Amino acid sequence: MTNPAAFATSQLWQLLSATIGEPATAELFNMITVDAVLLTPAVDSVPRVLIAQAMNMQLFAKNLAAVPEGKAYVAEKLAAGGKVVFDHGALRTVAAANTGSLPVGELAFKRILEPLGFAVAGLYPLPRLKMTGRAYCHVDAPESVAQFFVSELHVDQFSPAFAAAVDEVVSSSQDPLSGRHLALLEQLGRTGVLSFPGAVELLPALVDSFGVHHATPSLAAYEILLAESAEMAWIATEGNSFNHATDRVEDVFAVADALRAKGLPIKDKVEVSSAGSVRQTAFKATMVERTFKAVDGSLVKRVVPGSFYEFISRDVIVDAETGGQKLDLRFDSGNAQGIFKMTAAAC
C-alpha cells in the first residue's frame, strides 16, 4: 500500500486531493505508478504536465469503474504487490457535418491535449475501419505520462443513410467546456502553468469531457450505424468515453496466457507491430445496458459493447537521432485495427 506521507507534499497529490479528496487520491497513488519526475514540491503555480497527469489518473480510474474485468485484474495485481503502468488511453471521435456545439472530430480533444503539453507524435491510417488515429504524446515527459490514441471516423466514406443516422445522433452534442474553461486552457497553452485555484477549477471539466455529450440515440439510427460501422455504433452509446485504458506489462504473451488459463475473456491473439517491438492484447469489451428511443417515442434498453481494458509491452529501441536508447512509444495501424475489434466482436 502507498504511504500517503511519502507523496502528500507533492503538487500532484495536492491537486488531486483538492479535486477528488484525500481517500480517492491515496487510492490512485496506490494503484498507478507515478514517475519521480512528477512528484515535485507544491508551489503557487501548477505546470501543465501535472495537470495532464492528474487528469490521466482520474481517467484511468473512470475506465476501471466501467470495466469490471479490468477492475478485478488491477485488484489482483495490487494484492500481489504490483502497480499499473498506465501506458495510454484511447477515445473515438467522429468527423461529421453537424456535431452540435462540440468541435468536429479530434478537434474536440486537440483543444484540450495541446494546452496540456501533448503533441501529435504519429498519424495512423485505419482504412479497414474508415478512421484515422493520432497518437498524442506528452512533450515534457513522454515516457512518464500516458499517451492518448485519438481516432476519428470519416463519415463521408459511408453511405448517405449512414451519414443521416450519424447526424441524427451527434447533432445534439453539447460542448462540456464553458467559456471559462476554454479561457483557462488558452492561458495554460500560452504560459504552460495555471494558478492552483485555476487548475482545481479546470481539472474536473477536463475529466468530464471524456464522456457522452449527445442525446439518447434512436434504436433505428443505432441499427443503421451498426450495419456499417461497429465503431460508430459504439460512439452512439459511449460517446467520447475512454474506449480502453492500457497497462504496460513486461511480457504481454505471459499475461495473456495466464488470464486465458483462468477462463477470462481475453483476446484470442496478441497483436504484434510490424517492427516487432510493440505487442498488444485486451479483454473483450464489457457488455452494458443502454437506453434507446423507439419509433413510438418510448424508451427501450439493449445490451451493447462498452469499454475494455488493454495490455501492452514495449521494447527499448535505439533513438535514430541521438543514438541513445528510448522506449518505443509508437503505435501500429495493424495492431490498432485488431484491438478496436474488441468492441465489434461483442456486437
Side-chain angles (χ1 to χ4, degrees), residues 47-120:
R48 63 187 187 178
V49 69
L50 296 188
I51 301 173
Q53 177 67 13
M55 178 186 75
N56 282 7
M57 292 172 78
Q58 291 185 61
L59 289 173
F60 183 87
K62 194 173 179 180
N63 176 260
L64 283 195
V67 183
E69 298 86 355
K71 186 174 183 178
Y73 162 82
V74 170
E76 185 173 334
K77 189 169 190 174
L78 298 184
K83 278 191 174 185
V84 169
V85 178
F86 183 22
D87 183 87
H88 71 274
L91 61 144
R92 297 172 177 177
T93 68
V94 52
N98 184 356
T99 54
S101 61
L102 193 67
V104 172
E106 62 108 14
L107 296 178
F109 290 90
K110 179 178 181 178
R111 63 181 180 157
I112 292 172
L113 296 175
E114 286 189 342
L116 287 172
F118 293 91
V120 175

Side-chain angles (χ1 to χ4, degrees), residues 116-319:
L116 287 172
F118 293 91
V120 175
L123 191 68
Y124 299 92
L126 308 171
R128 295 201 303 269
L129 307 178
K130 300 178 182 178
M131 303 177 81
T132 298
R134 292 175 176 84
Y136 279 84
C137 186
H138 205 280
V139 174
D140 304 332
E143 294 190 11
S144 304
V145 177
Q147 297 185 78
F148 287 82
F149 192 86
V150 182
S151 58
E152 185 177 59
L153 183 134
H154 304 296
V155 176
D156 59 358
Q157 296 181 24
F158 292 87
S159 72
F162 181 92
V166 170
D167 184 76
E168 179 186 324
V169 172
V170 302
S171 62
S172 63
S173 297
Q174 297 295 312
D175 192 343
L177 298 179
S178 68
R180 169 63 178 167
H181 299 139
L182 295 173
L184 286 169
L185 280 170
E186 188 279 329
Q187 180 185 343
L188 182 60
R190 180 166 38 84
T191 66
V193 298
L194 287 179
S195 68
F196 188 81
V200 170
E201 181 181 356
L202 179 62
L203 185 53
L206 298 183
V207 174
D208 288 345
S209 295
F210 295 80
V212 181
H213 307 299
H214 55 258
T216 301
S218 72
L219 184 57
Y222 178 80
E223 290 175 341
I224 290 171
L225 298 177
L226 184 58
E228 294 191 43
S229 169
E231 290 69 38
M232 185 60 222
W234 190 93
I235 294 171
T237 62
E238 311 307 302
N240 305 124
S241 303
F242 258 15
N243 177 252
H244 64 264
T246 308
D247 187 5
R248 189 190 306 154
V249 298
E250 286 293 324
D251 185 347
V252 75
F253 285 99
V255 170
D257 288 345
L259 294 172
R260 194 174 295 112
K262 294 178 181 179
L264 295 173
I266 196 75
K267 192 175 184 296
D268 294 334
K269 62 173 285 192
V270 172
E271 301 289 341
V272 180
S273 66
S274 57
S277 51
V278 180
R279 299 164 294 281
Q280 298 166 259
T281 195
F283 283 124
K284 294 174 183 177
T286 297
M287 299 305 291
V288 295
E289 189 175 70
R290 295 291 183 250
T291 302
F292 299 88
K293 291 182 292 187
V295 175
D296 62 3
S298 63
L299 297 179
V300 296
K301 293 184 181 296
R302 293 288 186 274
V303 175
V304 300
S307 298
F308 61 95
Y309 189 85
E310 183 189 347
F311 308 90
I312 193 168
S313 293
R314 295 185 182 276
D315 289 344
V316 173
I317 60 173
V318 176
D319 189 321

